[in-house]
Every structure is written in C-alpha cells, then in structure tokens.
Amino acid sequence: MNPAASAPRRARVRAPELIGKGGWLNTGDTSYTLADLRGRIVILDFWTFCCINCLHVLDELRELEEKHRDTVVIIGVHSPKFVHEAEHQAVVDAVERYEVHHPVLDDPELATWKQYAVRAWPTLVVIDPEGYIVAQHAGEGHAHAIARLVEELEAEHAAKGTLRRGDGPYVAPAPVATDLRFPGKALVLPSGNVLVSDSTRHQLVELAADGESVVRRIGSGERGFGPDAFSEPQGLALLPDGRVVVADTVNHALRVLDPATGAVETVAGTGRQWWQGSPTAGPAREVDLSSPWDVAWWRGRVWIAMAGVHQLWTWDPRSDTVAVAAGTTNEGLVDGPAAEAWFAQPSGLAAAGDRLWIADSETSALRWVEPVAGESEGDTDAYAIRTAVGSGLFDFGHRDGAADQALLQHPLGVTVLPDGSVAVCDTYNHALRRYDPATGEVSTLATDLREPSDAVLVGEDILVVESARHRLTRLRLPEEAVRVESVAHRTQRAATEVGPGTLRLEVVFRAPTGQKLDDRYGPSTRLQVSSTPPELLAGGAGQGTDLFRDLVFAEGVTEGVLHVSAMAASCDDDPSNEYPACHMHQQDWGVPVRVVEGGAARLPLVLAGLDA
C-alpha cells in the first residue's frame, strides 16, 4: 500500500489566522480575519507573481470563482520569492497586470506561508465554512477536484445551516487611463513603426517611430481566442515574409499577424495547455503548448521560449510542425546537450549569428543555444546549452564584474547590441544590464527603470519596454556602463532541518472524490528526485513510480536543496463510463534542507489531500 495515499480526508484542523505585513488589496482598504469570512468556503491561493505555475492556477480558478461567487471567497496570499516581489507596489501592479479579481493578502515576510507550512508555489488550501482546513493541493491541475469539493461543502453546510451566501469582499480598483497597460514585448516593423504587445489589455498596439503616438490597436481588448482576440500576448518576432509571429501566452498558442491587412491567424497550439504525457511534436495546430512567452526567428525556424514547461520549442513554417528543441521540463539550471538541459521559465530570446540568447528568468540567468557538430556529417539539428551569467534557482542580486560572479534578478528580455554584446532587461532589479562575450564582463547600462521586460534598437538608441510604467523609454546607449554597488540575495525560505542518514520522502496524494488512480496503461504516478549540490544525496536520486522514497544523505555535506517532481493521473471511477474523464496533477518542489542531529526523519510534501 502506498502510505502517501492513506491520509484521512476530513481531519479537523483549525485554519491559522491570515497575517500579512503588506495588508490587503482588492478589498477597498478593508482588512479581514477568518472570523469575518465564517460561513463561506475560503480558498487560499499561495502565489508569487514571478511563478508561471501560479499564473496558470489563476486562470484555472476563474471559472470556479465566477460559478460559486456567492459561496466561495478566494484569497490570494502573495508570498514572494524574489526581493522585488516583497515590494508592496510591485504586488499592486501584479494584481492588476494578471487581472486578479479577488482579495489579495500581501505577505512579504511569509508569515501566513509559515503558519500553513506551505512548501511550494502555487499551493491551494480549502477552508470550510466553520473555519477548518479540509484540503491542500500543490501545483496545477486541481481545479476540477476543488470544484467537486466545493459542491460537497455547499451541500453539507447548507444542510447544517452553517453556509452563508452573499456578495464577497472583492472591491475592484479604479481603472487608470494610459495608452499601454503593462506592455510585454516590442518589435520594430519594416515601416519603422514599433509594435508592442499590450498584455493586460489583450491587444497589440502599433506606435509611430517615436515610440509614443498610437497608430492603431489590433484585437478587441477582451480576453479571447477568436480572430480578433488575444489573451495576455507577449513575444513578437518578424518572419522573413514580413508577417509577425505572436506568442499568445495565456491562449497557449502562436498567432501570426499580417501588418498590411491586420488579419490574425493561429499557426500553432490548440488553445489548451500542454500536460505531461501530451505529444511533444507534430502538426502545429494539433499539439498543445504551454505559456509561450517569447519567440525569435533563428536558423530557419521560429524558436519558442516555452515558459510553462521550462523548455525551448520550435515551429517550422515549411513543414507546419512544432517540436521540443531543448529542455526536459525539469526546472533548474543544467547545461549540456539540448535534450538534457534544464531551464526555469525561459522568457526572452534574441538571435545573433550562431547563438540564440535566452533570458532564463527563474534562475536569474543569461544563457544561449549554439549548434554543435552532430553524430553524422551534415547534422544541423544538434544543439548545446551554455550559461553566461547565473548559478541556479536560489541566488540572485545586482552585481557587476566577471560573469561567473555577476548577479541578475529575474530577467525577462535580451537584445543583441551592435558590438555583439547583449543587453539584458534585468526586470526585478529595474535595470538594463550588459554582458560582453569578448571580455566575460557584466556591467549596468541604466537604472531606475520600472520592471523592464524587453528592448529594441532604434538607430543609436535603445527603446526599453518599462512594463510597470506602462510606456516605452528611449535611452542613448552609453559608451561606458554605469557602476552600481554589489548586492547579493538568496531566496528567503527557512531550511528544513533533517536528520543525518536516511530521510523518508512521502508525497501525499489522494484522488478527488469519484476518481481513482489511472493505472490502465501502467503506473499512474511518477516521482523524480535530485539535489543541489548533487553530492548532497548518496542514495535515492532518480526517477521511479512510487510516491515515496528513502533518501540517503552523504556524510560531510550539511546543506543543499532537494528538487522533487511528482505527478499523478486520476480518472472518473465509473465502470459504466467507457470514456472516463482523466486529470493530471503535478508539482515541482525545491526544498532547502540542513542536515543536523535530531532533525526530521520524514519529509511530507502534499500534492493533494492532507498529511495525516
């Protein structure tokens, strides 16, 4: 029996109070306690705005939020990873940028995160109308299970008289009039005009060559997937025939715009999000994608920064096919052959000769793809991944100097400069940085930008997309870089103290009511474990099908990070249904650990359910 599936479903655990030094957003300046919400079903969404999986969950919850708005209160508990995400105004901006239409508690010190023993972004916690925790889910793909649980709780507490219906505490903020609203990426058209993805308004905006005057808007401005609609578009790339390919991020699709006519067509993606087990190659409009964030034309194909699955894909217009080009879907920083490399939310691309530069946001890294000699003569499809700046998921900051010591903070954009160096939109440092491949040095070109997300060259100037200032800002490229004081940070999450020797890792998963693990075609669960540094584990690393594992710590290595990836597939448990609906549940954890005498001998990670 799998001990990870044995947790009782309705343990009576009183929900801890909601605490956040940053206060409440979307409530009209009213603060709330759990007592104020008694009688309602409360869903806490622990999220941070850098996290692509968190953004996926925001979209998953929209239908539930609308359908049960008189009984359910969703509260986003913003729990930052990066230093910038602890700034209150940055959280205010993110709530508007991603159209969060429920109350948000700004918790910069992770007080509520710690109270609920959360270990991963995103995590959902369901609290019943009497104030007890009844479920916890980590990762994506749980909306169907929570919807079913909500219906059960509505029926149960209506019968008990403990359900209170009515309007929720959400108060919409006043709209602000600007030409752009959280623009994402930009592109200089052959005409000299500038095309901008106006992400929060679900449009493309063509500006005159000055980067300010609006020439036209493309798209209805309403979230959608029709010929006149986008959903949070981001990356833009010019095709050889003059058309523009658009990364239609939340539609999980590539669209193509004909600037001459304004016509838009879908060229890749189905509108559905890719999940583990889905095809990774095939006819472009038949294969699911996952949050494409940027695109670039390189070596006869469109390369796609597939942020949602930590990979690079390509679309080949000649064969009209898509395929994975690099990455394993594991989140982290691993160089080497493209098929073995790890990325973490690649979000910016720029092609230059034999290199495709990448802003790998969650590792705060600048990386590149290069062709390498294939196994046979004439093989042009072999690539390797290299890193110029960055060391992993947990180290970031603002430090110039030698590339192996330099630090960035969640960069989203890259631009190749005329001298062959690379400008990096160092988004959470509010800076434009420069990496010089010739010297291996990193410098700062400009500061006091507000969340720069992309930049394009216009003559001798560089036009920077200041996303959180809702504008494009023109800068003259300086001959000498600006110097800033070095600042280094590490993700502020307390390490879990574990005992030396063997640690029992258990991923808690309980199939939703009315479902069972789908084992028709083999094991329905998967668990993969690795560590940073790799020497931390003397045993237990690797992949298996059980949701539990004995990990053995090496002697002499006292701290590091456990990387855990779990997946479970469940289907409707109805023998009479020939085609049961099936669902995938998956989550990645990065758990900092410190090996000490007397530390824990068991590490539970909740994928779905409650730990006993």
Side-chain angles (χ1 to χ4, degrees), residues 24 55 99 189 257 322 331 341 345 358 439 451 486 516:
W24 290 80
L55 304 187
E99 297 183 306
L189 296 169
L257 164 71
V322 293
E331 185 178 16
Q345 289 178 216
I358 309 160
T439 64
E451 292 191 17
S486 296
K516 65 177 181 179

Side-chain angles (χ1 to χ4, degrees), residues 189-200:
L189 296 169
S191 66
N193 287 353
V194 181
L195 188 67
V196 182
S197 55
D198 198 19
S199 303
T200 296

Side-chain angles (χ1 to χ4, degrees), residues 24 62 125 163 183 192 216 278 309 333 363 416 426 459 498 536 568 571 586 590 610:
W24 290 80
R62 293 186 198 280
V125 177
L163 183 70
R216 61 172 169 167
S278 300
V309 285
L333 194 157
T363 54
V416 179
D426 194 5
V498 296
L536 176 67
C571 292
Q586 61 186 48
L610 291 173

Side-chain angles (χ1 to χ4, degrees), residues 531-576:
S531 66
T532 302
E535 298 77 22
L536 176 67
L537 290 178
Q543 184 168 306
T545 57
D546 291 323
L547 291 181
F548 56 92
R549 184 85 55 85
D550 285 331
L551 308 181
V552 181
F553 294 111
E555 293 185 10
V557 184
T558 58
E559 62 179 332
V561 178
L562 296 176
H563 303 286
V564 181
S565 178
M567 183 182 73
S570 63
C571 292
D572 291 342
D573 188 10
D574 182 357
S576 65

